[in-house]
Each structure stands twice: as C-alpha cells, then as structure tokens.
Amino acid sequence: MAYYSVPAIRRLQLGRELKAWREKAGLTLEQAGGDLDISKSTLSRLEKGQGAIHPLHARAMAELYRVPEDDLVDLVEIAREARRPNQNRIEGVSVNSYPALEAEAVSVRNFELASVPGLLQTEDYAAAFFAGSGTRERNRNLNVRMHRAKRLHCEEPLKLHTVIDEVALHRRIAKQSALVAQLLHIVELSELDNVQVQLLPAGIGVHPGLRGAFSVLRFPEDTISDLGYVDHAGGNLQLVKQTQVAELIRQFGKLSKMALGESESRDLALQLADLLSA
C-alpha cells in the first residue's frame, strides 16, 4: 500500500484563499474555470482543498484574480508546501480524511458517546471494533488507528482533551480481558502531560452530547482556523464556518464542566476495571 502525504491544512488554506480572491475579482466558478481551462466542478473541488494544486497553476489562478505580487508569492509557496510529505504521514489515508487532518493538528477537543476515542484505543479493542469489516478493510483501519496513536508520544505530541460518556466504557465491544486492558490503557495515557481525559458519569442522564460525538481540531498558527468534525450514519461533516465551530466549542465546554475531573476520572476507570476483573 502506497504512502500518501497528508498536507491537508495547506490544501484547505490554499483553496480558501484562492476562492476569496476569485470572489473578490467578481468571477464565478464557471467564468474562472473557463479562463483556466478546467471544469467548474474541478475548480470547486480544488477550492475545498480536495486536490493538490501545482504551484504553476496556483500562480495562473492568482494572476487571473489580479492578486498583488506579495500575496501571489505567498500563495505559490503554500502550493509548494501542500505538495511536500508530512512527517506524520499515514499509510493508506486520503488527504481529506479525519486522520489526515488530525495528523496536522496541534490539538484536538473530542467528545465520545459510544466508544473509546480512537487515539486511546488499544490494538485488541480496535481489532474488535473493526471485526465486522472484511479482512483487508479491517487491517487497513487497524493500521491507521494504531498509527494515529503515535501522535501522542512523538517529539511534538498532539494535545488531546477528551470527554467520554461513561456508557461507552460499559459497551462490550471486546472480550472482558481486552476491556480491562483498555481501561488501564486510558488511565496510563491520561497521565501524559499532553492528554486530558474526563469521564461523564452515566448517572447524569440528559446532557448536550446525546446528539452525537464530535471533534474540534486546532492547527498551527498562520494556517487555518479551527475545524469541526462530525461523523454520522451517511458519512461525515467538516465544519468550517466559525459560528458552527464556536457552537461545538461551547458544547464541549459544557460537557467538560459536567464531567468528572481528571483524577476522579482515573479513579472511575480503575473502578470499572476492577469490576470487570472480579
């Protein structure tokens, strides 16, 4: 399986900036696409960061949109960066997938309702989680998930703040011994300086997270703004409007206040592990 570079944020950044310049120039997708000799749909896809733009093509777009020289040079440089391999590259992922975005994030705020967060999963738990898939798909997903977890231990580790509904820890996704090991693994990772784990007690009842899991990713300065990510039955949503992202951050803040503190969360996870081991 080939390696794919995952310069996701640079592609998103370049696409958004080129779109802004196109609109400032008063050109529609159809008009700009005609002048650039590419289809309207292709141009739209590139503006969404769903494809690599060659630096020469970025220059042609910038010149068409009458971008000032200094800004044009910056856009071409972003296009070059978007084609460079990322040190956190992941085998077999598309440039628009969540793992690709996460690989370039500096921090993640995550709420999980139904299962252990992917970044905290043990290999046995993850294997059981993907057991319903075909062998090739299962192996691919497992490889990506285990690769993602390395971000928590690298030289410049990903900062993770996760709130997990306690109900997710009771779900018998894996065999009992694997669940015990998973709980202990969560406790171990929660001791890392860059990992903050809070458990939301099942006894709380109704809470803002019942509508589903979500994540908010933050990227390096001078790239793109925070991005929200929501999985659903039909696929996923990448939320880029700041009003939407701000609402996710607000909801996460509520859940964090309702959840147990870090020390209390570790105690609860250990209690659940003891109960399963009895």
Side-chain angles (χ1 to χ4, degrees), residues 4-144:
Y4 292 80
S5 66
V6 285
I9 56 172
R10 288 304 187 187
R11 292 187 183 192
L12 286 170
Q13 181 185 14
L14 181 61
R16 291 179 194 178
E17 293 195 20
L18 286 170
K19 178 181 179 181
W21 282 110
R22 174 181 61 76
E23 292 176 341
K24 187 175 181 179
L27 296 173
T28 65
L29 282 168
E30 190 170 13
Q31 289 170 331
D35 286 337
L36 295 166
D37 199 26
I38 58 177
S39 69
K40 172 183 174 181
S41 60
T42 297
L43 182 56
S44 175
R45 187 170 58 83
L46 293 175
E47 288 185 349
K48 293 175 182 176
Q50 295 174 358
I53 302 176
H54 193 282
L56 290 177
H57 296 159
R59 176 176 290 277
M61 291 179 183
E63 289 175 348
L64 174 64
Y65 305 155
R66 300 182 184 278
V67 177
E69 182 63 25
D70 287 348
D71 294 309
L72 184 151
V73 171
D74 290 341
L75 288 173
V76 172
E77 180 56 30
I78 293 172
R80 290 195 184 100
E81 290 182 12
R83 297 171 66 86
R84 292 174 184 153
N86 178 281
Q87 64 177 353
N88 300 311
R89 64 186 183 179
I90 302 176
E91 186 179 4
V93 304
S94 72
V95 295
N96 305 306
S97 66
Y98 180 84
L101 294 166
E102 185 187 80
E104 297 192 1
V106 295
S107 69
V108 174
R109 279 169 280 191
N110 162 249
F111 170 69
E112 286 295 341
L113 180 65
S115 64
V116 171
L119 284 167
L120 303 183
Q121 290 181 11
T122 64
E123 188 166 353
D124 286 343
Y125 183 97
F129 187 87
F130 294 123
S133 306
T135 301
R136 178 177 294 183
E137 183 70 9
R138 181 177 67 248
N139 291 341
R140 174 194 172 278
N141 288 333
L142 185 60
N143 176 69
V144 171

Side-chain angles (χ1 to χ4, degrees), residues 175-185 269 272-277:
K175 59 185 180 180
Q176 187 167 306
S177 60
L179 292 175
V180 172
Q182 176 62 78
L183 287 164
L184 296 178
H185 186 63
L272 295 176
D274 287 341
L275 287 173
L276 280 172
S277 300

